[in-house]
């Protein structure tokens, strides 16, 4: 006997709203229910029943109490397994169909409504925010997924969501989008847990949202239903553990998986990494132009995106003195040693992004800052990186008083680490430890604060002030997949900027080139035979 629908779908009105393509109206139907067939196995496991129609699989559903249409459409399959009819909300059905790339047929007495990808994306990717004046505004929603060091997640899907007004232009810079974005978190969870990522100041509580927005938020937390039985998975081959004498092995399990993916999906072979060395551009100051080069790293990732990092000024003498770096102007390929450092540098930067719930607004093209020789901010010294020292780079914590500042360790200088802050911080002078070398160089005399500039400063920090908090490495982080996908999509260029040469492409072993070569040889032989 079928369960009674508690909130049945008024089909005629729903069809009109779908045909009118009014997004806000379609979203309003998310909580209404329809009947959907499932296959029930002897184990009790249930999966959605799919129908093959041309090249696309569909889920058949019905708003009718008897659900005869979907029952009759399953009759030829009843010999396989038990088929049951269950009520689902449109939100649950559309979430499943959108995730698995399925079509949906909703049957009536003598008609059906075929729903394509647009309608499903509406319910799966958009939400309504009703303000105090009861005005509804449409938002596109990015749902965060999380993982930790043992590939599980304490934070459920959708515990954090980024809402952007849909009226914003796709070409609007991300820092402009941030001004109008809503970063919303589920405050039914205990965010005092140190293993959770820290909540930024701009985060908004779910409980503070208007009723309609809360419903949209909770709809985004739905998980797609299974469409096939769970089958025993082949054991996952764990990523090779990255070894760093500064970090215990249990702290780098999660990083090791990310490092393996960066090595495979982002950074190409050394021969295809382009180092473009030029004289400083016109925008550089006269002081910057003296005895300096401008070096830019770019490449085409294995996923075929053009990746271009911002150029850095580098001391000419230090660049020439480092065997892993260019010693002349022009375009050169990276050495294997430099490639390994680039892989680790990007991986640690992305690892830190995974603890930052505002990471979608990060300027990823600055993520190689700190790779090259540089000047030390507190003092007059220069830093020459040792690319053979496998301890670096490494994420760490500059810890003192009640302050914790994430830093990238770049190298050592006697009893100090060379550190690059990964967050900007203004600290009262009284809180700045006295043992910092050349401490006065960091103090802004107009404010009396120590100003730490993100990815700009290169600091000498005593090793005694550097810590490696366990939860930074083993706690909840935005999933590797989400961080890498966002990095690549944001760094990709359809066309490279003017005055930037095309990165070197890896054409080795291309079957197309081989075929073209064969065709050319045959054409030459035919012409030669004709001439003879």
């Amino acid at each position: 006997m079928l369960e009674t629908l508690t909130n049945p779908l008024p089909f005629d009105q729903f069809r009109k709203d779908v045909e009118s393509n009014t997004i806000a109206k379609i979203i309003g139907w998310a909580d209404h229910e329809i009947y959907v067939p499932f296959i029930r196995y002897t184990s009790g496991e249930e999966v959605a029943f799919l129908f093959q129609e041309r090249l696309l699989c569909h889920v058949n559903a019905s708003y009718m109490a008897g659900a005869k249409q979907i029952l009759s459409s399953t009759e030829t399959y009843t010999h396989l397994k038990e088929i049951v009819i269950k009520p689902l909300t449109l939100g649950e059905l559309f979430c499943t169909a959108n995730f698995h790339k399925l079509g949906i047929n909703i049957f009536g007495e003598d008609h059906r409504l075929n729903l394509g990808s647009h309608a499903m994306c509406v319910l799966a990717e958009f939400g309504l925010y009703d303000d105090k004046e009861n005005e509804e505004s449409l938002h596109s929603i990015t749902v965060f997924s999380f993982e930790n060091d043992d590939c599980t997640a304490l934070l459920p899907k959708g515990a954090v969501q980024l809402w952007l007004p849909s009226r914003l232009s796709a070409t609007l810079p991300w820092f402009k989008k941030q001004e109008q974005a809503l970063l919303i978190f589920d405050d039914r969870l205990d965010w005092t847990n140190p293993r959770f990522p820290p909540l930024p100041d701009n985060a908004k509580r779910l409980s503070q949202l208007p009723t309609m927005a809360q419903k949209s938020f909770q709809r985004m937390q739905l998980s797609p239903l299974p469409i096939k039985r769970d089958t025993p998975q082949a054991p996952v081959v764990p990523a090779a553990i990255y070894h760093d004498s500064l970090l215990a092995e249990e702290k780098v399990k999660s990083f090791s998986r990310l490092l393996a993916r960066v090595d495979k999906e982002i950074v190409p072979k050394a021969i295809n990494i382009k180092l473009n060395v030029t004289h400083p551009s016109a925008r550089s100051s006269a002081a910057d132009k003296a005895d300096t080069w401008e070096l830019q790293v770019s490449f085409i990732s294995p996923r075929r995106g053009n990746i271009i990092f911002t150029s850095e000024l580098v001391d000419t003498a230090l660049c020439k003195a480092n065997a892993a770096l260019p010693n002349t102007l022009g375009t050169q390929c990276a050495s294997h040693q430099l490639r390994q450092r680039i892989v680790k540098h990007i991986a640690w930067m992305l690892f830190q992004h995974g603890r930052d719930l505002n990471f979608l607004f990060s300027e990823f093209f600055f993520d190689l800052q700190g790779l090259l020789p540089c000047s030390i901010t507190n003092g007059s010294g220069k830093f020459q990186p040792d690319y053979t020292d496998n301890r670096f780079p490494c994420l760490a914590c500059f810890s003192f008083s009640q302050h914790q500042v994430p830093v990238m360790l770049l190298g050592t200088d006697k009893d100090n680490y060379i550190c690059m802050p990964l967050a900007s911080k203004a600290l009262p002078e009284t809180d700045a430890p006295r043992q910092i070398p050349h401490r006065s160089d960091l103090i802004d005399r107009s404010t009396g604060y120590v100003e730490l500039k993100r990815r700009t400063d290169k600091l000498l920090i005593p090793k005694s002030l550097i810590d490696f908090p366990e939860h930074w490495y083993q706690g909840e982080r935005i999933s590797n997949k989400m961080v890498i996908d966002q990095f690549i999509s944001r760094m990709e260029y359809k066309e490279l900027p003017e005055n930037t040469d095309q990165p070197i492409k890896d054409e080795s072993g291309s079957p197309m080139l081989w075929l073209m070569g064969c065709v050319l040889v045959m054409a030459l032989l035919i012409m030669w035979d004709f001439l003879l």
Side-chain angles (χ1 to χ4, degrees):
M1 182 175 179
L2 291 179
E3 297 179 41
T4 303
L5 300 180
T6 56
N7 190 16
L9 178 70
F11 180 78
D12 291 338
Q13 185 58 51
F14 173 70
R15 180 174 56 185
K16 288 179 183 177
D17 289 344
V18 170
E19 291 172 349
S20 70
N21 205 25
T22 307
I23 294 178
K25 290 183 177 179
I26 295 174
I27 290 175
W29 296 107
D31 293 331
H32 286 74
E33 296 175 319
I34 52 178
Y35 290 110
V36 177
F38 285 77
I39 298 176
R40 178 182 293 163
Y41 294 91
T42 54
S43 63
E45 182 183 2
E46 294 178 350
V47 300
F49 193 97
L50 303 185
F51 298 86
Q52 184 71 38
E53 189 171 298
R54 295 179 183 174
L55 299 178
L56 183 67
C57 285
H58 284 75
V59 175
N60 286 352
S62 177
Y63 63 93
M64 303 291 293
K68 293 180 180 178
Q69 292 77 10
I70 55 174
L71 278 171
S72 61
S73 64
T74 66
E75 285 178 356
T76 56
Y77 303 94
T78 54
H79 66 284
L80 299 176
K81 293 288 179 282
E82 180 185 4
I83 295 176
V84 295
I85 308 296
K86 299 176 64 175
L88 280 186
T89 66
L90 281 180
E92 291 174 300
L93 179 59
F94 279 41
C95 170
T96 300
N98 188 62
F99 180 82
H100 294 296
K101 304 296 185 288
L102 307 173
I104 298 176
N105 292 318
I106 299 182
F107 286 91
E109 283 279 7
D110 52 4
H111 54 265
R112 75 172 183 178
L113 175 64
N114 179 265
L115 297 174
S117 59
H118 172 71
M120 286 178 281
C121 285
V122 166
L123 278 182
E125 300 174 12
F126 288 88
L128 288 176
Y129 191 94
D130 45 327
D131 59 22
K132 294 178 180 178
E133 287 74 34
N134 288 322
E135 292 188 8
E136 298 175 355
S137 57
L138 187 66
H139 286 67
S140 63
I141 301 175
T142 300
V143 175
F144 285 43
S145 56
F146 297 89
E147 65 181 59
N148 54 36
D149 64 330
D150 60 1
C151 298
T152 61
L154 296 174
L155 286 171
K157 174 195 173 188
V160 179
Q161 300 175 17
L162 180 71
W163 289 37
L164 282 171
S166 60
R167 66 177 182 276
L168 296 182
S169 167
T171 59
L172 189 70
W174 273 89
F175 72 89
K176 289 288 187 182
K177 292 181 180 180
Q178 187 172 12
E179 296 172 2
Q180 302 186 56
L182 294 173
L183 185 70
I184 306 169
F185 69 97
D186 190 341
D187 55 344
R188 295 170 296 184
L189 302 169
D190 180 13
W191 287 90
T192 62
N193 188 334
R195 291 178 65 88
F196 288 4
L199 290 168
D201 294 337
N202 63 327
K204 195 177 185 68
R205 296 175 179 270
L206 170 62
S207 60
Q208 295 176 326
L209 301 186
T211 302
M212 189 176 296
Q214 287 191 30
K215 287 185 176 181
S216 290
F217 184 97
Q218 291 164 358
R219 175 165 45 83
M220 294 296 152
Q221 294 181 299
L222 294 172
S223 293
L225 299 170
I227 60 172
K228 59 182 179 180
R229 296 189 73 178
D230 287 335
T231 54
Q233 299 291 322
V236 177
V237 179
I241 296 297
Y242 165 73
H243 294 286
D244 189 321
S245 59
L246 298 175
L247 293 168
E249 185 173 305
E250 60 269 14
K251 288 185 178 180
V252 294
K253 287 181 180 178
S254 189
F255 174 74
S256 296
R257 294 196 304 271
L258 178 58
L259 181 70
R261 293 194 62 169
V262 171
D263 185 55
K264 181 180 179 181
E265 299 178 38
I266 294 181
V267 184
K269 298 174 184 177
I271 196 173
N272 293 310
I273 299 174
K274 187 179 74 170
L275 309 176
N276 190 35
V277 184
T278 62
H279 289 297
S281 61
R283 65 179 180 275
S284 302
S285 66
D288 286 338
K289 291 181 181 180
D291 302 319
T292 58
W293 284 341
E294 194 164 296
L295 193 155
Q296 184 177 58
V297 178
S298 62
F299 51 78
I300 295 179
S301 75
R303 284 170 52 165
R304 313 313 297 165
N306 286 317
I307 307 295
I308 304 175
F309 293 94
T310 187
S311 57
E312 282 194 76
L313 293 174
V314 58
D315 184 283
T316 304
L318 290 177
C319 197
K320 289 181 177 180
N322 195 313
L325 296 175
N327 58 10
T328 185
L329 296 172
T331 299
Q332 302 178 39
C333 301
S335 65
H336 175 73
Q337 201 173 71
L338 184 61
R339 179 194 181 273
Q340 293 303 100
R341 179 59 67 96
I342 289 172
V343 170
K344 284 196 290 186
H345 201 103
I346 294 174
W348 277 121
M349 291 298 291
L350 295 186
F351 193 82
Q352 172 59 19
H353 287 317
R355 291 278 295 170
D356 178 10
L357 296 180
N358 272 329
F359 90 104
L360 287 173
F361 303 107
S362 297
E363 296 170 314
F364 294 115
F365 45 83
F366 283 116
D367 277 0
L368 277 188
Q369 295 287 317
L371 175 72
L372 303 173
C374 58
S375 298
I376 305 299
T377 306
N378 52 330
S380 57
K382 304 281 187 179
F383 170 59
Q384 175 71 280
D386 179 2
Y387 298 127
T388 65
D389 191 338
N390 292 325
R391 296 175 298 170
F392 305 105
C394 178
L395 175 68
C397 176
F398 175 22
S399 182
F400 59 94
S401 185
Q402 74 274 26
H403 306 289
Q404 288 190 324
V405 182
V407 295
M408 183 86 87
L409 304 186
L410 305 176
T412 60
D413 184 316
K414 299 178 181 177
D415 294 328
N416 304 300
Y417 284 119
I418 311 296
C419 304
M420 179 176 68
L422 299 181
S424 296
K425 202 90 168 178
L427 310 171
E429 178 185 352
T430 53
D431 288 355
R434 296 285 175 182
Q435 60 265 48
I436 295 177
H438 305 283
R439 176 178 176 273
S440 59
D441 292 346
L442 303 178
I443 299 171
D444 185 334
R445 295 302 174 188
S446 63
T447 63
Y449 276 74
V450 172
E451 304 280 349
L452 302 181
K453 301 179 185 66
R454 180 190 186 195
R455 292 191 291 210
T456 300
D457 286 338
K458 312 299 185 299
L459 308 174
L460 279 175
I461 301 295
K463 293 179 180 179
S464 59
L465 298 178
I466 295 299
D467 191 17
F468 303 91
E470 180 180 294
H471 61 275
W472 280 26
Y473 305 91
Q474 297 174 255
E476 298 292 293
R477 298 171 38 260
I478 299 164
S479 69
N480 290 342
K481 181 181 185 307
M482 184 173 186
V483 171
I484 288 176
D485 287 350
Q486 289 294 331
F487 173 85
I488 291 177
S489 66
R490 291 275 301 283
M491 288 290 284
E492 277 182 348
Y493 285 79
K494 299 300 181 186
E495 295 180 1
L496 296 178
E498 291 183 7
N499 304 322
T500 303
D501 296 328
Q502 187 78 10
I504 305 164
K505 293 186 178 181
D506 179 12
E507 304 288 7
S508 60
S510 170
M512 183 58 70
L513 284 180
W514 180 85
L515 181 61
M516 290 173 63
C518 290
V519 171
L520 182 60
V521 169
M522 291 184 66
L524 290 173
L525 289 173
I526 292 171
M527 291 176 64
W528 180 256
D529 186 61
F530 177 77
L531 291 173
L532 292 176

